Amino acid sequence: MLENSNQEEMDIDRPTNVSFFDFVGGVQLLRGEDTRTAMPVLLIGICVSGAVCNLLVLLIFIRDFRSGRGSEVKALLASLASTDLAILLLCAPVRAVTYYRQTWTLGSFACRTTDWFQHSCVVAKTFILVATTKAKHTLLPRAAASQPLHSPTWIHGALAFIWTVSMMFPLPQMLFAALVPRGDDFVCVSEMPVCASDFMSLFYKIYPTVAFVAPVIFTIAYYTKTLYTAVNHAPSPRHQSKVVLVLLCLSGAVWLMLLPEWGTFTWIRLGYNRPPAGLIMFAQVLLYACSALSPVVLMTMYDDVRQGLVAIWFVATCRRDKRAPETKCPQTEGNGAEVAANAVGNAVSQTKEATFPDVEHFWTGRRNTHVEDEHDPVPWEKEEKML
């Protein structure tokens, strides 16, 4: 555990015409070498493991769609895995670099867009989970599944709407971000002027409610009701209730792990006392761990994903065995003609040794047939045969 003295950030002067001040892209100007090494290692580990799991899930869904086993839920879960992949590959490394350097070294463009892009992905992730409540769990028609990742039209429209809204909501994260010199270095901060404080105070109350609280309540209520209906009234309750249970567990895990991030974000923006730096870092770690945990939930609970993972494992194993054929093919001496002749001879001998019961009984009966009749009208036939 990090000591409190190492978690506190250095004081930085706030301009007089600014009503809000916060770091962007990770907490900067931290004291302590343990934070400088522990946080980057932790974030990189989460990034690598989560990226591998999300790529496996995407590969499984692509395989299902190409083989005609796609569904609306799988299309949305593939979009969710793509969003998690973007968070892990584009957002987590920025925080790792920031914690290692303890200042901002990635330039003005990255300073303005890093928090905006991360919030866009997080909001899109929550809205995609809400969209899965409308998706059907039945398979798409095979004719429609002939094209890779084909899905109904409403899914394309829903994803376009989700990403448009998700990129518009966090625009203040881009507008108020700026580089501030700190000696020979720079820090990336968010400065909100006093003239916009009233409007932004209202906005920062509406934004978390629409982007987090409302989706949580709606999704949990919907899946709870659907799970109850699937178990008691659905024509195939076993399969449908399993899918609904997976989506309920996935949504619950996402909401719980995103709660600290949204809590600290709202806490800071509403002008209350600044939370400890350790709590802010813990919330950020949970945010990235959430993107790494989502594919694990799918691979352990979703039957189709688990079966696809087993199939991919078998394919990889077979390819590895083909590279070493000597483990399966026995060694033989001699040329190819001798081997072929021996194989043919063995096949012929096995055929001769094989006895069909009906034929054997037929010929045995013919051999054991012995007619003994004293009143045979043509006895000379026997005599001729005997001669």
Side-chain angles (χ1 to χ4, degrees):
M1 296 296 291
L2 300 176
E3 297 180 0
N4 293 332
S5 59
N6 293 332
Q7 293 180 0
E8 295 178 356
E9 66 229 36
M10 296 175 62
D11 295 331
I12 186 170
D13 297 332
R14 176 186 299 184
T16 57
N17 61 341
V18 171
S19 62
F20 165 77
F21 189 89
D22 186 31
F23 288 106
V24 175
V27 183
Q28 299 156 52
L29 304 178
L30 289 169
R31 297 189 181 99
E33 291 296 328
D34 50 356
T35 303
R36 181 178 182 180
T37 56
M39 284 296 294
V41 171
L42 181 60
L43 292 178
I44 294 299
I46 293 174
C47 177
V48 173
S49 59
V52 172
C53 293
N54 280 288
L55 285 174
L56 284 175
V57 170
L58 280 175
L59 184 62
I60 291 169
F61 285 145
I62 292 173
R63 180 177 176 273
D64 287 346
F65 272 88
R66 288 182 174 178
S67 60
R69 295 194 302 271
S71 65
E72 297 178 3
V73 169
K74 291 181 180 179
L76 292 173
L77 291 179
S79 302
L80 182 67
S82 302
T83 305
D84 287 331
L85 197 61
I87 293 175
L88 292 171
L89 295 182
L90 299 178
C91 299
V94 174
R95 266 64 180 181
V97 172
T98 302
Y99 284 117
Y100 177 75
R101 302 290 297 184
Q102 298 183 351
T103 56
W104 189 261
T105 58
L106 300 177
S108 176
F109 178 78
C111 174
R112 290 184 176 276
T113 57
T114 178
D115 271 19
W116 167 79
F117 181 76
Q118 177 170 294
H119 269 259
S120 298
C121 292
V122 172
V123 175
K125 183 175 180 177
T126 58
F127 286 167
I128 289 173
L129 287 175
V130 174
T132 57
T133 59
K134 186 182 181 299
K136 296 180 181 179
H137 314 307
T138 55
L139 298 181
L140 295 175
R142 183 172 293 273
S146 59
Q147 299 179 357
L149 287 180
H150 183 281
S151 56
T153 306
W154 78 267
I155 293 183
H156 297 287
L159 291 177
F161 175 78
I162 286 172
W163 277 102
T164 302
V165 174
S166 300
M167 289 187 293
M168 291 179 62
F169 253 132
L171 279 178
Q173 304 298 104
M174 182 188 298
L175 298 177
F176 299 140
L179 281 177
V180 176
R182 176 75 178 183
D184 296 334
D185 299 320
F186 290 91
V187 292
C188 185
V189 298
S190 179
E191 297 178 342
M192 186 174 64
V194 177
C195 59
S197 60
D198 293 338
F199 174 78
M200 295 309 301
S201 178
L202 178 62
F203 173 79
Y204 284 129
K205 293 177 183 177
I206 298 176
Y207 174 47
T209 303
V210 175
F212 181 73
V213 178
V216 168
I217 297 174
F218 173 78
T219 306
I220 293 179
Y222 178 85
Y223 281 134
T224 303
K225 180 182 178 181
T226 305
L227 183 62
Y228 175 80
T229 304
V231 171
N232 294 279
H233 305 291
S236 57
R238 183 177 181 182
H239 174 72
Q240 188 171 353
S241 60
K242 278 187 176 181
V243 177
V244 174
L245 181 61
V246 171
L247 296 177
L248 177 60
C249 293
L250 178 62
S251 301
V254 170
W255 305 138
L256 287 177
M257 299 187 76
L258 291 181
L259 180 61
E261 173 66 19
W262 282 106
T264 54
F265 175 84
T266 308
W267 185 350
I268 296 173
R269 265 69 183 176
L270 292 183
Y272 299 109
N273 294 330
R274 184 175 179 82
L279 179 60
I280 298 175
M281 291 188 291
F282 175 72
Q284 292 180 357
V285 170
L286 281 185
L287 186 149
Y288 302 123
C290 174
S291 297
L293 180 65
S294 298
V296 176
V297 173
L298 293 177
M299 288 189 291
T300 54
M301 297 187 64
Y302 199 0
D303 291 340
D304 293 348
V305 177
R306 188 168 61 248
Q307 293 172 3
L309 187 63
V310 173
I312 292 176
W313 172 260
F314 283 155
V315 170
T317 305
C318 291
R319 288 182 178 178
R320 184 180 60 187
D321 292 341
K322 288 180 180 178
R323 295 176 182 176
E326 65 274 3
T327 58
K328 287 186 176 268
C329 299
Q331 298 291 336
T332 57
E333 297 180 357
N335 56 20
E338 293 175 353
V339 175
N342 293 333
V344 173
N346 294 334
V348 172
S349 62
Q350 291 177 2
T351 305
K352 290 181 178 180
E353 292 176 0
T355 304
F356 298 94
D358 296 338
V359 178
E360 181 184 10
H361 176 72
F362 174 77
W363 287 109
T364 303
R366 296 290 293 176
R367 289 195 301 267
N368 294 336
T369 302
H370 181 67
V371 179
E372 296 182 357
D373 191 358
E374 296 179 355
H375 304 284
D376 190 356
V378 284
W380 58 85
E381 293 182 358
K382 294 184 180 180
E383 295 176 356
E384 292 177 355
K385 293 179 180 179
M386 293 177 65
L387 295 175

